[in-house]
Every structure is written in structure tokens, then in C-alpha cells.
Amino acid sequence: MFTFDQLAGFIAVAEELHFGRAAERLNMTQPPLSRQIQKLEKIVGAELLERDNRKVTLTSAGEAFLDEARRLMALAERAPVTARRIASGRSGVLRVGFTAASGFSILGPLLGELAGIIPDVDIDLQELVTGEQLSGLLTGELDLGLARPPFDSETFDSHLLYRESMVVAVPAGHPLTLLARDITAEDFKDEPLIMHSPTQARYFYDLVVRMLPIRHANVVHTVSQILTMVSLVAAGRGLAFVPHSATLLGIKDVEFLPLEAGRGEEVELHALWNRRITNPALARLLRDLEFAME
Amino acid sequence: MFTFDQLAGFIAVAEELHFGRAAERLNMTQPPLSRQIQKLEKIVGAELLERDNRKVTLTSAGEAFLDEARRLMALAERAPVTARRIASGRSGVLRVGFTAASGFSILGPLLGELAGIIPDVDIDLQELVTGEQLSGLLTGELDLGLARPPFDSETFDSHLLYRESMVVAVPAGHPLTLLARDITAEDFKDEPLIMHSPTQARYFYDLVVRMLPIRHANVVHTVSQILTMVSLVAAGRGLAFVPHSATLLGIKDVEFLPLEAGRGEEVELHALWNRRITNPALARLLRDLEFAME
DNA sequence: ATCATTTGATACCCGGAAGGCATCATGTTT
DNA sequence: AAACATGATGCCTTCCGGGTATCAAATGAT
């Protein structure tokens, strides 16, 4: 394999068409340059220059090789620059997981903010439930998650993004929508309930269980995605407790009713990340966010 | 400037993630390899590998640099070949990028056509996704691409080669294969979907998103190569939307189902090239093609 | 025709870089 | 705690690349 010095030498000679001047340009003397080119030609296996003891010309193979040589040099000069940019967090890829619910509320503004702080970093978005985000953060497939508690604060660091209240999704025209007052637990006694999955959406499940004594009899479905829940409500399969941002989904034939004051616990959405940060772009983001918060 | 040996050393270590094995592969001992990498890191100005006294991992800067290093090595290996070809009297080399999907349909006939128009030009084929082809065309590493929209028509000129319809790839014996009718969007409601990468395979991604109401919930993988998608389908990981030519891949345990008429949008394959043409062989090809089309 | 000039190639020498061997340092496993 | 695994370091030797001096061939002026 040839060396970069040989390429640089060849480029210089090809441009000057004169060994002496090329050598001067390269801050060396002519003899080693001559040998460099000879060696290069031997490695390439083709004559690149025609020496005619009075002038130097490029062969057609030499012209083609000059192209390649320039390309190689340009690439070789750029490579460390990009590597340094990534190491400093100024560019690269940030893999962000988000839950369906957050996608309809905070994700847009958050992306705008990210674009302000790390504009050269590509954001790779993946919609995942909290559990998937946690395992993604552990394996390093994900850099940042937008998810709900609980998660292990030993391994994950986090920042509270916002709280929102829970509301009840009911099919349009349902008797409860006619109530003049806020909803209470009593109102659900005989209503079929679409429940959160205790494994996939543990946070909501625990929350709802805490809010009202469940009557398992009435649980008609257990699902993990808010969107799915609301769709089922729209289809008249029952009621569901969903975070307020679900109202932004724009699903037809569903109404959202506020819960009795005090009973409507609030749910949280956190930005969270693995404490063992490996992605410089994330390190930079967090550092700049710290500054912004103080 | 670093040397090709350092690049080769880095690539070996990055692939083996083990200095000893990498050294063995390079027919050298471990100590000089360690120093080689250290020197390379010093030159690049960034940590490329994380040594943890038990295992070696790539930093994100290292990942990016690995990419560049591979490109450099590939380019460096190809350069002498093209030079020799030209020196041996053939009039040039045309470097053609193609997508895996096009490789199974149009590539064969196209090569025949090229051989008719520019018989003395060697064709250098590389399988690349659309995004890689575009960057290759920009840097001049590629002369001609066979790829799908979108691309910037300011910098690239193109010619539509053909259209084909999309089909659904399902694991053999899947319930949907028993359906007597064509598939509709409703049929996927609860099916895991193997999705195209929004960055690497933007065209397909946009198309599929357009075809069926976003149900991110069911996306199990995002991949960029059609072949990978079909393999994942074969492995029973889910369904996938692929162009009709994927049926030619001959992968076992996959069936392809047509989409409901009207819903199955057609996808396009274009031949495209950089408007700033530098390769005379490409100029000749295009000129002769113009003649043929008139 | 001869000789000075130009320009790339060759001969020879020297310093530094890269590889090999032996060994160290550190973390893991039994 | 001892053996093991694995990357880093120290030291020696070899070889490659650059420098100086010189050669070789072609040109052109007298």
C-alpha cells in the first residue's frame, strides 16, 4: 500500500509538472521525491508520469489516479475533523425515545429546544413505551428517554419535564358527559373500564389503581398505548383514564372529562438518561441545559 | 497525517474489539499495535477507543472515524485498479451504485445496455442505499446511481427507469395469506411492522407513512435494506412493505401479498448523476443515451 | 562539435520510526 | 489469594525515508 506522503508528492508533481518545484513546495529536496514517485508507480502498477528528460506530463492513468489521490487526501483531512466534532458533542446522533403521549405535547417544543442547543446533531426518534426506553438506555441503543416513572435512579438520571392531570375519556354522548359536576370514583362503579397494562404501562396502572378501587369485573381490555386506549373508547368499548395531553390526539367520538378536584392525581413526564454517558452529544446537551436552568 | 497502516490497525481493533486478536489478524504482535492506535488517536485529536482493561469499545467519535477509515481504505484499494485499467488501454471506469432491490430487477438488463453503448469502459458496481449513493455522487466516488427519490434536482440530474408497485411481505403461513381478498390498511392494525429507516430509506418511509395512518405502536424494527427487511419477515418478526421486485430475492418462508388496488402506491427507480460531470465515460454514455431516446 | 545548463535518477550516509521481545499494571476469575 | 487475561511500557534492532553529492541525458549556445 502506498502512503499519504507518496500521494501528496504525486499531487504536487502532477500540479507543478516539475520535480524540483514540487519538491520545494513540499519542503524537501528533489531526489527523495523522485524515489517516492517511482515507488508509488511501482505500487500502483502503472506509469503515472511521463518523464521526457526535459518536461513531465501526466499519463491518462496518471490523470485518473490524480483524481483519486485528491479525493483520498481530502477525505483523510476531513476524517479527524468530524471525529473531533463528534467527540466534542458538536455533531453526531442523539437517539431519543418517546412515548406516544409525549409525542403529542412536549416532543415538538423539545425538539425545537434541542435544535437550538445542538444544531449539528441529528436526532433519531423512536416511539417506545417506558419499559422499552429503559432497556434501550441500558443497552446503549438509546441516549435519551421521555418517559414516566418509575425507574431506577441509581442507573438513570432524570429531569422532570412537566406534570399533567388525568382525565377520563368517554365515548361521545355518553351519559356521564351530561353530568353537571366533576367525575368521582362512584361514577365508574358500573362502567366498563379500559385499563392500562400492568407490565407495559406500570405507571398509569399503579396510578389508576390508587385512584379508585378497581372492579376487575369491569376491565374489558388492558393495553399499553394511550392512542390505542382512546381508540377503544371511541369505539364504545368503555371508559379510560388518560393523561390530559391525550386530548390533543384529535380522535373523533371521544370526550374528555375532568376528574373531581383533588382526586385527579397528576402524572409526570421525565427526560431521563443513563448515568454512564457515552455519547458526547448528550454530555454537551446536558451541560448546556444545566447552564440554562441556573 | 496518519498512515494507512494506522487506519488498518484501527479498523482491525474496531472490528475485533481486542488488541491481541487484531494484532494476530494483522500478522504482528500486540505492543506495536497498541502504540499505533495511540499515535493515531493523538493525530486525530480524539479518543477513538475506550479501553477498560477488560474490554475495548468504540467511542462515538471512533464509530464515525471507523466509517471514514473504511472508506479511505476502500478508496485506496480501488484507486490503483482504475489506474491500471486505464493504463492497459481501456478507456475508463464508470462507477455505478445500486440499491439491493434494483440489483434483482433492472441491474442485469441495464448492464447489458451499458456494454452496448460504452463497451470499452469498465463498470465498477457497488451496492449502496440511496443516501450513500447521493453522498458518493457528491464526493465523486460514484458516477452513476440507481436510486429512489427524493434527491436535490439542483445538484443531480436523473432519468426515470421504471415504476413498480408495493407489496406486503408476510411470514409464510401467516393468517393474512389465507385472506381471499387484497390487503387493506385495516388488516395491519395489530400486526407488528418492520419499518424503513426514516433517515436511510426516507423514500419508503414517507411512502408507507402516507399509505397507512401512523401506527408507530407496532413498529418493531427500523432498517434500511430491503433484504434485511425481508429476512426479518422470514424470521417472523413482523410484516413489511417492500417494492414488488423484492419478490425476486428468493428468500424462504416469506410470502408477498398485493395491496388493495388503488392503495398500493407505486415507487420509482431513477438513474441519477451529479450535474457536474467529471468522468468522460459518463458524458459519453449520457450523450449516446440522449440519441437513443430521441 | 563542444561545453554549459537543466532536470530527473542514483549512490551513500544518517536519524528516526516501527516492530519484536520481555515485562509491567490492573482488573477478573477461581 | 493466586492465576489469568489484556492492554501499556521499556528497550533493542532493523529498515525506511530524507539529505548531500553526484551522475546521466538532453538541449542549446558559441
mmCIF file of all heavy atoms in Angstrom, chain A residues 27-60:
data_model
loop_
_atom_site.group_PDB
_atom_site.id
_atom_site.type_symbol
_atom_site.label_atom_id
_atom_site.label_comp_id
_atom_site.label_asym_id
_atom_site.label_seq_id
_atom_site.Cartn_x
_atom_site.Cartn_y
_atom_site.Cartn_z
ATOM 1 N N ASN A 27 8.710 21.199 0.778
ATOM 2 C CA ASN A 27 9.784 21.414 1.736
ATOM 3 C C ASN A 27 10.701 20.195 1.835
ATOM 4 O O ASN A 27 10.986 19.709 2.925
ATOM 5 C CB ASN A 27 9.227 21.740 3.130
ATOM 6 C CG ASN A 27 8.547 23.097 3.162
ATOM 7 O OD1 ASN A 27 9.076 24.062 2.611
ATOM 8 N ND2 ASN A 27 7.384 23.149 3.777
ATOM 9 N N MET A 28 11.096 19.736 0.705
ATOM 10 C CA MET A 28 12.065 18.653 0.684
ATOM 11 C C MET A 28 12.931 18.848 -0.567
ATOM 12 O O MET A 28 12.737 19.797 -1.330
ATOM 13 C CB MET A 28 11.373 17.297 0.670
ATOM 14 C CG MET A 28 10.499 17.034 -0.550
ATOM 15 S SD MET A 28 9.471 15.568 -0.417
ATOM 16 C CE MET A 28 10.685 14.273 -0.510
ATOM 17 N N THR A 29 13.889 17.949 -0.728
ATOM 18 C CA THR A 29 14.734 18.063 -1.910
ATOM 19 C C THR A 29 14.231 17.146 -3.010
ATOM 20 O O THR A 29 13.386 16.280 -2.783
ATOM 21 C CB THR A 29 16.186 17.693 -1.547
ATOM 22 O OG1 THR A 29 16.187 16.403 -0.955
ATOM 23 C CG2 THR A 29 16.753 18.698 -0.566
ATOM 24 N N GLN A 30 14.771 17.318 -4.151
ATOM 25 C CA GLN A 30 14.230 16.610 -5.309
ATOM 26 C C GLN A 30 14.478 15.098 -5.301
ATOM 27 O O GLN A 30 13.569 14.319 -5.661
ATOM 28 C CB GLN A 30 14.810 17.263 -6.586
ATOM 29 C CG GLN A 30 14.564 16.489 -7.850
ATOM 30 C CD GLN A 30 15.772 15.623 -8.183
ATOM 31 O OE1 GLN A 30 16.928 16.025 -8.013
ATOM 32 N NE2 GLN A 30 15.500 14.399 -8.647
ATOM 33 N N PRO A 31 15.684 14.637 -4.919
ATOM 34 C CA PRO A 31 15.939 13.188 -5.054
ATOM 35 C C PRO A 31 14.944 12.285 -4.331
ATOM 36 O O PRO A 31 14.390 11.381 -4.972
ATOM 37 C CB PRO A 31 17.355 13.049 -4.488
ATOM 38 C CG PRO A 31 17.973 14.368 -4.735
ATOM 39 C CD PRO A 31 16.884 15.366 -4.508
ATOM 40 N N PRO A 32 14.698 12.496 -3.047
ATOM 41 C CA PRO A 32 13.723 11.589 -2.412
ATOM 42 C C PRO A 32 12.348 11.667 -3.052
ATOM 43 O O PRO A 32 11.634 10.657 -3.094
ATOM 44 C CB PRO A 32 13.679 12.074 -0.966
ATOM 45 C CG PRO A 32 14.365 13.379 -0.940
ATOM 46 C CD PRO A 32 15.306 13.415 -2.090
ATOM 47 N N LEU A 33 12.010 12.833 -3.569
ATOM 48 C CA LEU A 33 10.708 12.954 -4.232
ATOM 49 C C LEU A 33 10.669 12.046 -5.464
ATOM 50 O O LEU A 33 9.683 11.342 -5.691
ATOM 51 C CB LEU A 33 10.456 14.408 -4.637
ATOM 52 C CG LEU A 33 9.121 14.660 -5.339
ATOM 53 C CD1 LEU A 33 7.950 14.215 -4.472
ATOM 54 C CD2 LEU A 33 8.979 16.123 -5.708
ATOM 55 N N SER A 34 11.740 12.046 -6.215
ATOM 56 C CA SER A 34 11.799 11.174 -7.392
ATOM 57 C C SER A 34 11.570 9.723 -6.990
ATOM 58 O O SER A 34 10.771 9.016 -7.603
ATOM 59 C CB SER A 34 13.174 11.297 -8.066
ATOM 60 O OG SER A 34 13.225 12.477 -8.831
ATOM 61 N N ARG A 35 12.291 9.329 -5.919
ATOM 62 C CA ARG A 35 12.141 7.931 -5.495
ATOM 63 C C ARG A 35 10.736 7.644 -4.990
ATOM 64 O O ARG A 35 10.178 6.580 -5.208
ATOM 65 C CB ARG A 35 13.160 7.626 -4.399
ATOM 66 C CG ARG A 35 14.500 7.284 -4.971
ATOM 67 C CD ARG A 35 15.501 7.153 -3.897
ATOM 68 N NE ARG A 35 15.540 8.365 -3.077
ATOM 69 C CZ ARG A 35 16.461 8.601 -2.150
ATOM 70 N NH1 ARG A 35 17.372 7.717 -1.895
ATOM 71 N NH2 ARG A 35 16.445 9.717 -1.469
ATOM 72 N N GLN A 36 10.177 8.631 -4.314
ATOM 73 C CA GLN A 36 8.803 8.478 -3.810
ATOM 74 C C GLN A 36 7.865 8.139 -4.973
ATOM 75 O O GLN A 36 7.059 7.211 -4.896
ATOM 76 C CB GLN A 36 8.383 9.804 -3.185
ATOM 77 C CG GLN A 36 7.656 9.668 -1.873
ATOM 78 C CD GLN A 36 7.335 11.022 -1.296
ATOM 79 O OE1 GLN A 36 6.976 11.954 -2.022
ATOM 80 N NE2 GLN A 36 7.445 11.141 0.015
ATOM 81 N N ILE A 37 7.972 8.922 -6.018
ATOM 82 C CA ILE A 37 7.079 8.731 -7.164
ATOM 83 C C ILE A 37 7.337 7.373 -7.820
ATOM 84 O O ILE A 37 6.388 6.662 -8.169
ATOM 85 C CB ILE A 37 7.278 9.861 -8.198
ATOM 86 C CG1 ILE A 37 7.064 11.227 -7.529
ATOM 87 C CG2 ILE A 37 6.315 9.686 -9.360
ATOM 88 C CD1 ILE A 37 5.686 11.482 -7.025
ATOM 89 N N GLN A 38 8.603 7.018 -7.944
ATOM 90 C CA GLN A 38 8.913 5.708 -8.528
ATOM 91 C C GLN A 38 8.260 4.594 -7.724
ATOM 92 O O GLN A 38 7.637 3.685 -8.265
ATOM 93 C CB GLN A 38 10.427 5.484 -8.537
ATOM 94 C CG GLN A 38 11.175 6.342 -9.520
ATOM 95 C CD GLN A 38 12.664 6.312 -9.249
ATOM 96 O OE1 GLN A 38 13.157 5.395 -8.594
ATOM 97 N NE2 GLN A 38 13.374 7.311 -9.745
ATOM 98 N N LYS A 39 8.420 4.725 -6.434
ATOM 99 C CA LYS A 39 7.845 3.704 -5.563
ATOM 100 C C LYS A 39 6.326 3.659 -5.718
ATOM 101 O O LYS A 39 5.721 2.589 -5.801
ATOM 102 C CB LYS A 39 8.240 4.001 -4.112
ATOM 103 C CG LYS A 39 8.350 2.780 -3.256
ATOM 104 C CD LYS A 39 8.979 3.099 -1.916
ATOM 105 C CE LYS A 39 10.483 3.251 -2.021
ATOM 106 N NZ LYS A 39 11.127 3.487 -0.700
ATOM 107 N N LEU A 40 5.741 4.825 -5.748
ATOM 108 C CA LEU A 40 4.283 4.891 -5.917
ATOM 109 C C LEU A 40 3.864 4.206 -7.212
ATOM 110 O O LEU A 40 2.920 3.409 -7.229
ATOM 111 C CB LEU A 40 3.825 6.358 -5.912
ATOM 112 C CG LEU A 40 2.318 6.578 -6.113
ATOM 113 C CD1 LEU A 40 1.519 5.968 -4.970
ATOM 114 C CD2 LEU A 40 1.998 8.047 -6.243
ATOM 115 N N GLU A 41 4.567 4.494 -8.265
ATOM 116 C CA GLU A 41 4.217 3.897 -9.559
ATOM 117 C C GLU A 41 4.353 2.378 -9.501
ATOM 118 O O GLU A 41 3.540 1.663 -10.068
ATOM 119 C CB GLU A 41 5.117 4.470 -10.660
ATOM 120 C CG GLU A 41 4.730 5.897 -11.034
ATOM 121 C CD GLU A 41 5.642 6.461 -12.110
ATOM 122 O OE1 GLU A 41 6.873 6.267 -11.994
ATOM 123 O OE2 GLU A 41 5.132 7.078 -13.043
ATOM 124 N N LYS A 42 5.349 1.940 -8.794
ATOM 125 C CA LYS A 42 5.547 0.502 -8.658
ATOM 126 C C LYS A 42 4.371 -0.125 -7.902
ATOM 127 O O LYS A 42 3.854 -1.176 -8.286
ATOM 128 C CB LYS A 42 6.851 0.242 -7.899
ATOM 129 C CG LYS A 42 7.277 -1.219 -7.924
ATOM 130 C CD LYS A 42 8.775 -1.328 -7.664
ATOM 131 C CE LYS A 42 9.282 -2.735 -7.983
ATOM 132 N NZ LYS A 42 10.747 -2.792 -7.965
ATOM 133 N N ILE A 43 3.949 0.549 -6.844
ATOM 134 C CA ILE A 43 2.834 0.030 -6.047
ATOM 135 C C ILE A 43 1.547 0.044 -6.858
ATOM 136 O O ILE A 43 0.783 -0.914 -6.860
ATOM 137 C CB ILE A 43 2.663 0.855 -4.755
ATOM 138 C CG1 ILE A 43 3.879 0.652 -3.845
ATOM 139 C CG2 ILE A 43 1.373 0.469 -4.035
ATOM 140 C CD1 ILE A 43 3.960 1.635 -2.712
ATOM 141 N N VAL A 44 1.315 1.161 -7.533
ATOM 142 C CA VAL A 44 0.076 1.280 -8.310
ATOM 143 C C VAL A 44 0.098 0.303 -9.476
ATOM 144 O O VAL A 44 -0.933 -0.242 -9.856
ATOM 145 C CB VAL A 44 -0.096 2.736 -8.813
ATOM 146 C CG1 VAL A 44 -1.220 2.824 -9.827
ATOM 147 C CG2 VAL A 44 -0.366 3.657 -7.641
ATOM 148 N N GLY A 45 1.274 0.078 -10.004
ATOM 149 C CA GLY A 45 1.375 -0.864 -11.105
ATOM 150 C C GLY A 45 1.119 -0.229 -12.451
ATOM 151 O O GLY A 45 0.707 -0.904 -13.391
ATOM 152 N N ALA A 46 1.323 1.053 -12.526
ATOM 153 C CA ALA A 46 1.129 1.743 -13.797
ATOM 154 C C ALA A 46 1.990 2.999 -13.829
ATOM 155 O O ALA A 46 2.260 3.592 -12.788
ATOM 156 C CB ALA A 46 -0.345 2.120 -13.984
ATOM 157 N N GLU A 47 2.415 3.381 -15.019
ATOM 158 C CA GLU A 47 3.135 4.646 -15.150
ATOM 159 C C GLU A 47 2.168 5.793 -14.992
ATOM 160 O O GLU A 47 1.127 5.843 -15.635
ATOM 161 C CB GLU A 47 3.797 4.719 -16.530
ATOM 162 C CG GLU A 47 5.277 4.451 -16.483
ATOM 163 C CD GLU A 47 5.987 5.056 -17.696
ATOM 164 O OE1 GLU A 47 5.324 5.655 -18.553
ATOM 165 O OE2 GLU A 47 7.218 4.909 -17.761
ATOM 166 N N LEU A 48 2.492 6.702 -14.102
ATOM 167 C CA LEU A 48 1.601 7.821 -13.864
ATOM 168 C C LEU A 48 2.110 9.089 -14.545
ATOM 169 O O LEU A 48 1.327 9.947 -14.933
ATOM 170 C CB LEU A 48 1.473 8.068 -12.347
ATOM 171 C CG LEU A 48 0.973 6.864 -11.526
ATOM 172 C CD1 LEU A 48 0.996 7.191 -10.042
ATOM 173 C CD2 LEU A 48 -0.423 6.457 -11.962
ATOM 174 N N LEU A 49 3.447 9.165 -14.655
ATOM 175 C CA LEU A 49 4.055 10.361 -15.237
ATOM 176 C C LEU A 49 4.984 9.949 -16.382
ATOM 177 O O LEU A 49 5.638 8.911 -16.323
ATOM 178 C CB LEU A 49 4.864 11.118 -14.172
ATOM 179 C CG LEU A 49 4.075 11.709 -13.009
ATOM 180 C CD1 LEU A 49 4.998 12.071 -11.866
ATOM 181 C CD2 LEU A 49 3.298 12.929 -13.476
ATOM 182 N N GLU A 50 5.008 10.790 -17.354
ATOM 183 C CA GLU A 50 5.900 10.585 -18.486
ATOM 184 C C GLU A 50 7.055 11.556 -18.317
ATOM 185 O O GLU A 50 6.871 12.763 -18.398
ATOM 186 C CB GLU A 50 5.124 10.888 -19.783
ATOM 187 C CG GLU A 50 5.836 10.492 -21.055
ATOM 188 C CD GLU A 50 5.471 9.076 -21.454
ATOM 189 O OE1 GLU A 50 4.315 8.682 -21.202
ATOM 190 O OE2 GLU A 50 6.336 8.373 -21.996
ATOM 191 N N ARG A 51 8.271 11.026 -18.064
ATOM 192 C CA ARG A 51 9.428 11.933 -17.943
ATOM 193 C C ARG A 51 10.169 11.917 -19.248
ATOM 194 O O ARG A 51 10.551 10.851 -19.728
ATOM 195 C CB ARG A 51 10.398 11.479 -16.850
ATOM 196 C CG ARG A 51 9.911 11.619 -15.459
ATOM 197 C CD ARG A 51 9.110 10.447 -15.105
ATOM 198 N NE ARG A 51 9.311 10.013 -13.708
ATOM 199 C CZ ARG A 51 8.625 9.063 -13.181
ATOM 200 N NH1 ARG A 51 7.713 8.423 -13.889
ATOM 201 N NH2 ARG A 51 8.845 8.717 -11.922
ATOM 202 N N ASP A 52 10.410 13.045 -19.743
ATOM 203 C CA ASP A 52 10.970 13.092 -21.088
ATOM 204 C C ASP A 52 12.262 13.884 -21.032
ATOM 205 O O ASP A 52 12.738 14.421 -22.016
ATOM 206 C CB ASP A 52 9.859 13.614 -21.999
ATOM 207 C CG ASP A 52 10.269 14.595 -23.042
ATOM 208 O OD1 ASP A 52 10.795 15.660 -22.673
ATOM 209 O OD2 ASP A 52 10.056 14.258 -24.220
ATOM 210 N N ASN A 53 12.856 13.886 -19.805
ATOM 211 C CA ASN A 53 14.161 14.479 -19.574
ATOM 212 C C ASN A 53 14.198 15.981 -19.861
ATOM 213 O O ASN A 53 15.246 16.602 -19.800
ATOM 214 C CB ASN A 53 15.226 13.754 -20.393
ATOM 215 C CG ASN A 53 16.214 13.090 -19.460
ATOM 216 O OD1 ASN A 53 16.389 13.551 -18.336
ATOM 217 N ND2 ASN A 53 16.848 12.039 -19.896
ATOM 218 N N ARG A 54 13.080 16.506 -20.191
ATOM 219 C CA ARG A 54 13.014 17.958 -20.384
ATOM 220 C C ARG A 54 11.708 18.464 -19.782
ATOM 221 O O ARG A 54 11.641 19.530 -19.215
ATOM 222 C CB ARG A 54 13.059 18.288 -21.890
ATOM 223 C CG ARG A 54 13.471 19.706 -22.154
ATOM 224 C CD ARG A 54 14.939 19.867 -21.741
ATOM 225 N NE ARG A 54 15.304 21.256 -21.586
ATOM 226 C CZ ARG A 54 16.475 21.654 -21.059
ATOM 227 N NH1 ARG A 54 17.328 20.760 -20.632
ATOM 228 N NH2 ARG A 54 16.767 22.921 -20.964
ATOM 229 N N LYS A 55 10.666 17.653 -19.894
ATOM 230 C CA LYS A 55 9.395 18.046 -19.277
ATOM 231 C C LYS A 55 8.652 16.816 -18.763
ATOM 232 O O LYS A 55 8.936 15.673 -19.184
ATOM 233 C CB LYS A 55 8.529 18.822 -20.284
ATOM 234 C CG LYS A 55 8.126 18.009 -21.506
ATOM 235 C CD LYS A 55 7.388 18.929 -22.479
ATOM 236 C CE LYS A 55 6.709 18.088 -23.573
ATOM 237 N NZ LYS A 55 7.694 17.261 -24.312
ATOM 238 N N VAL A 56 7.731 17.066 -17.862
ATOM 239 C CA VAL A 56 6.963 15.982 -17.232
ATOM 240 C C VAL A 56 5.515 16.109 -17.664
ATOM 241 O O VAL A 56 4.968 17.222 -17.667
ATOM 242 C CB VAL A 56 7.059 16.068 -15.697
ATOM 243 C CG1 VAL A 56 6.229 14.997 -15.046
ATOM 244 C CG2 VAL A 56 8.512 15.988 -15.252
ATOM 245 N N THR A 57 4.893 15.011 -18.036
ATOM 246 C CA THR A 57 3.460 15.046 -18.371
ATOM 247 C C THR A 57 2.745 13.895 -17.675
ATOM 248 O O THR A 57 3.354 12.896 -17.314
ATOM 249 C CB THR A 57 3.240 14.898 -19.893
ATOM 250 O OG1 THR A 57 4.044 13.810 -20.354
ATOM 251 C CG2 THR A 57 3.602 16.166 -20.619
ATOM 252 N N LEU A 58 1.460 14.075 -17.484
ATOM 253 C CA LEU A 58 0.638 13.032 -16.881
ATOM 254 C C LEU A 58 0.212 12.034 -17.946
ATOM 255 O O LEU A 58 -0.208 12.430 -19.032
ATOM 256 C CB LEU A 58 -0.623 13.640 -16.262
ATOM 257 C CG LEU A 58 -0.540 14.218 -14.850
ATOM 258 C CD1 LEU A 58 -1.774 15.035 -14.545
ATOM 259 C CD2 LEU A 58 -0.387 13.104 -13.834
ATOM 260 N N THR A 59 0.304 10.756 -17.623
ATOM 261 C CA THR A 59 -0.324 9.768 -18.496
ATOM 262 C C THR A 59 -1.821 9.776 -18.205
ATOM 263 O O THR A 59 -2.272 10.404 -17.236
ATOM 264 C CB THR A 59 0.216 8.357 -18.197
ATOM 265 O OG1 THR A 59 -0.164 8.010 -16.869
ATOM 266 C CG2 THR A 59 1.733 8.325 -18.288
ATOM 267 N N SER A 60 -2.622 9.069 -19.016
ATOM 268 C CA SER A 60 -4.066 9.080 -18.730
ATOM 269 C C SER A 60 -4.344 8.301 -17.438
ATOM 270 O O SER A 60 -5.248 8.659 -16.672
ATOM 271 C CB SER A 60 -4.857 8.524 -19.901
ATOM 272 O OG SER A 60 -4.255 7.363 -20.410
#
